[in-house]
Amino acid sequence: MFGLIFAFAKFIILTLGALVILGIVMQMIPGKKDAGNTDQKTAEDPIDEPPADRTWFEVLGVSEFASPDDIKRAYRDLIRQYHPDKVGAMGEKIRELAMRETQLINAAFQEARLSRGF
């Protein structure tokens, strides 16, 4: 009985994760006004820093004045959520998206560490 409940709970968790990733994919699909933009980063391009329209604290989802512990906690939570190894079974495109998001999170955390000195 518990095995069936555990299997169902695992299915629900994986399904919710897939829906979150799908939502991210849908947000990243460029609109018609962006069709001619050749400056967009691709999966092959490393993301060295957060995009100009999002600051490190927006990427990490914390206040600009958050404590180092809050910044580290937000970073760990986001990495846990978006790490490519978590979505490896969902297909290559989802894994690439997770890799880009992880690179963005890592770059934002690095910028936070440099700017806040921890």
Side-chain angles (χ1 to χ4, degrees):
M1 181 67 178
F2 286 112
L4 182 61
I5 293 171
F6 179 74
F8 183 70
K10 185 176 177 182
F11 171 77
I12 295 295
I13 290 169
L14 289 174
T15 302
L16 289 174
L19 289 173
V20 168
I21 298 295
L22 181 61
I24 294 169
V25 170
M26 296 303 290
Q27 289 178 353
M28 295 186 75
I29 295 175
K32 290 183 181 181
K33 66 180 182 178
D34 294 330
N37 186 358
T38 59
D39 291 339
Q40 290 183 333
K41 293 193 179 286
T42 62
E44 294 82 25
D45 296 332
I47 297 176
D48 297 327
E49 57 188 42
D53 59 334
R54 289 179 68 198
T55 60
W56 65 262
F57 49 89
E58 290 173 326
V59 171
L60 296 176
V62 298
S63 165
E64 181 178 5
F65 307 105
S67 70
D69 287 338
D70 289 340
I71 295 169
K72 291 174 188 176
R73 187 176 310 112
Y75 168 76
R76 283 191 306 268
D77 290 345
L78 287 171
I79 287 297
R80 207 174 296 126
Q81 182 178 357
Y82 289 105
H83 197 279
D85 290 345
K86 294 280 189 174
V87 295
M90 292 184 191
E92 189 60 33
K93 288 184 181 181
I94 300 296
R95 185 169 166 74
E96 288 175 14
L97 174 64
M99 181 142 348
R100 285 193 304 250
E101 190 68 20
T102 300
Q103 289 173 339
L104 179 67
I105 293 165
N106 284 330
F109 183 63
Q110 184 65 24
E111 185 177 335
R113 291 181 66 210
L114 291 173
S115 69
R116 299 293 298 279
F118 64 90

